[in-house]
Each structure stands twice: as structure tokens, then as C-alpha cells.
Amino acid sequence: MNTTPTVTAAIVQAAYVLVAFLFITGLKRMSSPATARGGILWAGLGMVIATLVTYLQAPEIGINLYLVIGATVLGGGVAWISGKRVAMTDMPQMIALYNGMGGGAAAAIAAVELYRGDQRGLAFGALAVLGALIGAVSLSGSCIAFGKLQGLIKKSFRFSGQQIANVLILAVAVVLGVLIATGVNTGSSVVTGFFVLALLLGVTMTLPIGGADMPVVISLYNALTGLAVAFEGYVLNNWAMVIAGMVVGSAGTLLTQLMAKAMNRSLGNVLFSGFGDTAGAATGPVTGTQKPIEAADAGVMMAYAQKMIVVPGYGMAVGQAQHKVWELTQLLQNRGVTVKFAIHPVAGRMPGHMNVLLAEAGVPYDLIADLEEINAEFETADVALIIGANDVVNPVARNDKSSPIYGMPILDADKAKNVIVIKRGQGQGFSGIENALFYLDNTRMLYGDAQGAVNQLVQAVKAAG
Amino acid sequence: MNGVIAIYIFMLAGFTGYEVISRVPVILHTPLMSGSNFVHGIVLVGAMVALFSAHGPLELVIGTIGVALAAGNAVGGYVVTERMLEMFKSSGKAPNKGHHS
């Protein structure tokens, strides 16, 4: 603040170059398990530098500076506390919320510029408006996504003509946006109307989408927020925002596609079909009976196995059984049993979520294999232990064309010599589809809650001597 | 800002993001999404600049909301990503698993 303007500008620009470098390197490191921890530290350092040099651009000490400091402390403080407290199982919706905040911030930047009403050319206006639209949709859409995953919004509001309504809202918002961007009418009532419609669009777009598809939507909004930030970066002549926002925009788009692919869904399907929570009408006839087993017998079977593959599902995490599962794994490893974890892409609430939950319990990531890596190994496994997973091991997906999950890639747990399924009772899974695996000759059902049942297995293995 | 140069930068940054992420294993999808969510928290510097230059009650209110939201994005994004990533560790028996195909 005491230096001359040109020197200050040069320092800020140089710092932003460094920040862009730190962000890209950080993201690169975050894409490999061995270096991921360092990656977030690099990116975090970049953020601190970017924030500090921005204070060099502060005007005279006054109300604006106080508001910046106050708002940073308030927003950052609330996020810090909530981020430290959130349970690992609730992580997806928390990410959605933080992402929505970023979108809202991008929209707020645009609002400050647009309400001011000074025109600096078509590119300026167009990108300010586009960033505002995307940012506002991301804000309200992410809030709905949070509400759905948190269980605050239980229904999926659908009515006929919903798509048409969405298109109409978008069309009117675009018309208003064009008026503002071209400088034809930059009145504050037009700007207000534009923002109201943009926020409304985020709500109406997201409400019909089912909970199971929500991770893909959150990832999409994450990419969109990146774009909005990049566009507002152009408006503010801020290269760090342009580069970081654009990198996230494209990386997020790719990540969204990877997630949709892992869930066997196309992006268009997710956004416009509303499957996410409707399946379950068609349940093909499944013959046979479920055969129960006692924990003591199952424990002995595991203790004398060569190789066991554990298939954890969201039910394991909800039952907080992952720590007991790791204890069981270590006991078996000490007896010379090879234990691996097979993770389906949609185990947990989003791709990779189950890995986080297992990591929390202390399971090393090199024991964990994804579907492509492990599917061929089930044939060589003596025991497949299914905990709280259902649809992702249902062989119906392979061979029953009438099933709603037909074609979904599944873990071939049924090919193991013995299958032990830990399950509360004889009910159906999340999607309401009968699971043929439970009726196979080599399957035994261990009834009970996940934590209690695994604890009994631990005792049984210990008793096996 | 020169328009043509801006288009180059948008394009090259887009390719960079794509390349950086393209070989990420599924096990890191959630933390990486969270990490990229943190990176667009850079919107904080923009929100700060916008509020620095704000005049009048309306701009000040919107600007303040913007900074608070942006700070939430940056800080929250960092905290949850760091919490997830610090849990990932190797058993030390197997070499670092490079990724499949």
C-alpha cells in the first residue's frame, strides 16, 4: 500500500504466475495416491499467496477493507469449523455446499459489476453475464443437491412439461442477459430479474434428479463453477482466476464424465431422465432359498482360507463397521490369509468415496482394488465377504435383460468358492431389486448389523487359534 | 486484456486441466473433485477486488456476501480435501500402485 502503483502491479502479477504454477502442480500431484497429500499443500500455499498479494491492491483504510477482512474471517471461520466436523460419510454433500459458495461468489462479483452498469465492451458484458448465470445456477443447484443428500429434501419433484418449463426459464434469462451484455438495458430491475431467474433455474434443474445420480450433478456444478470463475476473472482482468477457473472447468468436466461412466450412466441421462431413485418396479423371479450361517462357522471358514476378498458397501460405512473390518483383516493377515478389498465405482455415495471411508479406518490403499483390477481374482478367492453391498454384486445385472440394472458393471463375487453376505434381514436393496446372489448354493447369509456381525467374526477367528 | 490472447489462455488452460486429470485412478475421484473445488476458491481474490472497488450500500452488501461465500469455498474446500488425503497411506509392502491401463 506504500509502494508505487506500478511496483505493486508487478508484484501482484508475478505472484499470480507463481499461484497458477502451484495450483496446476498441486492438482497434478493430487491425481496419484502417493503424492496426493503434498498436492493439496501446494495448492493451499498458492491460495495463501494469492490472498495476501491481493491485499496490496486494497484502497485506503476504510469501510471496504474492514468488510473484506470481516467477511473473510466470517466465511472462512464457518467453513473451517464445518469442514473439520463433517463426518466422512457426509463428505459429498459438504463438497456440494462449498462448491455452491464458490458459484455464488462468482455471481456476486458479476452482480457488483453489472449493478454498477458501466460498459466496457461486448466481451466484458457477455462474459460477466455468462459467468453470473453459471455461478447462480451452481449456487442454487448445489444447495438443492446438499438438501437431497442430507435428507432435507426427500421427494423428487416432477411434473409433466418440466423440461419445457426449464427451457422457458433459461430462455427468458438469456434474453435478459443479452439485454444487459449488449448494453441495451442495464437497469437494476433487469439485472435483478436476470439473477432471480438464474437462481430459479438451478433449483428447477436439480429438483427432479434422484439422490443416486447426485454425485455426477455435484461434479458437474463443480466444473461449472470453475468456468464461472474463469469468466469473472476475465471481467476483473485477473489472470490467476482465468487460469485456475479454466483448469478446474475442464478437469471437472472430465471428472464428471469419468464418474458418469463408472456409474454406467450418460450425462444427458442423468440430467434429463430422472432415473436416480425410481428403479425397482421390475423384479424378476428368483428361485431358491437364502441359507443362513453362524458367525462362528463363517469365522472358521475365513481363518483357514488362502484368500478373501471383501466387498464393502455404503451399509458398512453407515454401520461404522470399517474399523472392525480392518481389525478382522489384520487378524487374518497374521494367519497368512491374503485379504483384498474390491471397490465398485458406486460403492459409497460417489466414486472414490468408499476409498476415503476405508482409509479413515486405516486400510492401506494398496490393499484396495477397483472393479477392473479385481474381477478376475474372485475365481481364485476362497471367501468373498459382502458387507452392506447389494446391487453392485447382483449377477442379475449380467444376465437378466428385463432388470433395471442390466448392463451395469458388477463385482463377480458369485464366482468365489464361498460367499458370506452380512445383512440386516431378508429385505431388498437400495433399488428394491431382488439379489440373485443371496440364493446361490455357495452363498451363506450372516444376519445382523454390520458392526456386530463383523465383531463376532473377529471373535470367531481369534477362537480358531 | 487483449481478446485474442485471452482466448489462447482459456484454450491452453482448458487443455492443461484435461491432461492433468486424465489418468486419475477411481480411488481418488472424491478427493480430487474436492481438491478442484478448492482450487476454484481462487474466486476469493476476485471477490476481494470487487468489494475493494464497491460504492454504495447495494454494491457493498453484495460484495461482502461474495467475499464471505468465496472464503467459505476456499477454506472449506481445503479443510475437507486435506482431511481426506491425509488418511491415504500405503501398507509399505507393495510398491506404489501406478494405475491400470
Side-chain angles (χ1 to χ4, degrees):
Chain A
M1 274 171 267
N2 296 324
T3 46
T4 60
T6 37
V7 174
T8 307
I11 293 172
V12 170
Q13 291 305 326
Y16 283 172
V17 173
L18 179 62
V19 168
F21 170 79
L22 288 171
F23 279 168
I24 293 170
T25 313
L27 274 178
K28 179 72 194 165
R29 295 179 76 85
M30 268 187 260
S31 56
S32 161
T35 56
R37 177 84 199 283
I40 185 66
L41 295 176
W42 283 59
L45 179 65
M47 192 68 74
V48 170
I49 293 173
T51 311
L52 290 181
V53 300
T54 304
Y55 276 105
L56 292 177
Q57 294 168 296
E60 297 302 303
I61 292 183
I63 177 89
N64 295 54
L65 184 59
Y66 295 139
L67 284 175
V68 166
I69 294 170
T72 309
V73 171
L74 179 70
V78 170
W80 178 274
I81 294 165
S82 60
K84 284 283 180 197
R85 284 190 181 168
V86 60
M88 284 296 155
T89 42
D90 293 338
M91 208 47 99
Q93 54 263 47
M94 214 59 207
I95 297 171
L97 203 56
Y98 296 140
N99 172 56
M101 293 168 100
I109 292 170
V112 170
E113 298 291 325
L114 294 175
Y115 276 119
R116 192 177 293 154
D118 53 343
Q119 265 299 324
R120 278 176 272 165
L122 186 61
F124 173 90
L127 288 183
V129 165
L130 202 54
L133 177 66
I134 298 172
V137 166
S138 177
L139 169 63
S140 58
S142 295
C143 288
I144 299 295
F146 172 83
K148 286 213 169 198
L149 288 180
Q150 192 70 20
L152 303 174
I153 305 171
K154 296 219 168 60
K155 282 163 67 182
S156 293
F157 302 85
R158 284 192 207 105
F159 54 89
S160 55
Q162 195 152 22
Q163 303 299 345
I164 299 166
N166 285 351
V167 171
L168 278 178
I169 296 171
L170 177 63
V172 179
V174 166
V175 169
L176 294 182
V178 169
L179 287 179
I180 299 164
T182 54
V184 172
N185 188 344
T186 55
S188 57
S189 56
V190 179
V191 175
T192 305
F194 167 77
F195 276 106
V196 169
L197 286 172
L199 288 170
L200 182 64
L201 182 63
V203 174
T204 57
M205 262 177 64
T206 318
L207 271 180
I209 300 171
D213 282 337
M214 221 30 101
V216 178
V217 177
I218 294 171
S219 181
L220 178 69
Y221 285 143
N222 183 41
L224 287 177
T225 302
L227 277 184
V229 170
F231 292 161
E232 299 312 326
Y234 178 87
V235 168
L236 295 173
N237 216 345
N238 185 315
W239 296 102
M241 277 172 74
V242 170
I243 293 171
M246 204 59 207
V247 166
V248 173
S250 73
T253 305
L254 178 63
L255 207 49
T256 309
Q257 285 169 342
L258 289 175
M259 280 194 184
K261 199 173 136 224
M263 299 170 77
N264 197 33
R265 309 268 286 132
S266 80
L267 197 50
N269 221 328
V270 168
L271 288 177
F272 304 117
S273 80
F275 161 97
D277 60 357
T278 55
T283 46
V286 176
T287 54
T289 53
Q290 297 188 2
K291 294 163 280 293
I293 190 170
E294 292 300 320
D297 300 330
V300 170
M301 188 193 283
M302 290 170 189
Y304 292 97
Q306 298 275 317
K307 180 174 181 178
M308 178 168 94
I309 299 177
V310 182
V311 180
Y314 193 61
M316 180 199 72
V318 171
Q320 287 296 317
Q322 56 267 48
H323 298 275
K324 279 287 166 199
V325 172
W326 176 226
E327 189 184 340
L328 176 67
T329 304
Q330 286 171 305
L331 274 176
L332 290 172
Q333 280 177 329
N334 290 341
R335 298 180 61 95
V337 183
T338 305
V339 183
K340 289 191 175 183
F341 290 80
I343 310 288
H344 191 274
V346 298
R349 279 274 175 85
M350 62 170 65
H353 189 199
M354 184 53 67
N355 304 79
V356 172
L357 296 169
L358 287 175
E360 186 187 20
V363 181
Y365 63 77
D366 44 17
L367 293 188
I368 303 173
D370 61 29
L371 186 137
E372 292 161 38
E373 291 172 323
I374 198 129
N375 247 357
E377 289 192 35
F378 278 104
E379 285 176 14
T380 65
D382 300 296
V383 183
L385 175 63
I386 321 285
I387 311 172
N390 191 338
D391 294 333
V392 298
V393 289
N394 192 345
V396 157
R398 272 203 308 263
N399 47 33
D400 181 0
K401 287 189 179 165
S402 68
S403 171
I405 60 169
Y406 177 74
M408 180 173 89
I410 59 156
L411 290 163
D412 296 333
D414 54 319
K415 293 186 177 160
K417 291 188 192 77
N418 298 285
V419 182
I420 307 277
V421 179
I422 297 180
K423 204 165 173 299
R424 266 183 187 283
Q426 299 201 355
Q428 290 166 341
F430 183 58
S431 63
I433 302 163
E434 195 71 64
N435 193 335
L437 175 73
F438 301 166
Y439 299 88
L440 294 178
D441 288 335
N442 55 340
T443 301
R444 293 293 178 274
M445 308 299 290
L446 178 54
Y447 294 115
D449 73 289
Q451 199 180 114
V454 178
N455 194 31
Q456 286 174 347
L457 286 175
V458 168
Q459 302 310 326
V461 171
K462 278 181 182 163
Chain B
M1 191 183 282
N2 184 315
V4 178
I5 292 178
I7 292 171
Y8 274 115
I9 290 183
F10 273 103
M11 185 180 74
L12 291 175
F15 280 129
T16 306
Y18 201 88
E19 283 304 316
V20 162
I21 299 295
S22 59
R23 275 179 297 279
V24 59
V26 175
I27 73 164
L28 283 175
H29 275 186
T30 297
L32 191 62
M33 190 174 112
S34 180
S36 61
N37 175 38
F38 162 69
V39 166
H40 67 53
I42 189 69
V43 72
L44 175 59
V45 302
M48 287 168 67
V49 169
L51 181 51
F52 281 147
S53 69
H55 301 284
L58 181 65
E59 288 179 21
L60 284 174
V61 168
I62 297 172
T64 304
I65 293 171
V67 173
L69 289 175
N73 181 186
V75 174
Y78 182 84
V79 170
V80 297
T81 309
E82 212 266 341
R83 270 186 65 194
M84 283 192 272
L85 288 178
E86 77 176 347
M87 300 182 314
F88 280 90
K89 52 180 180 278
S90 159
S91 65
K93 288 174 204 154
N96 291 337
K97 187 171 59 175
H99 214 255
H100 58 86
S101 58

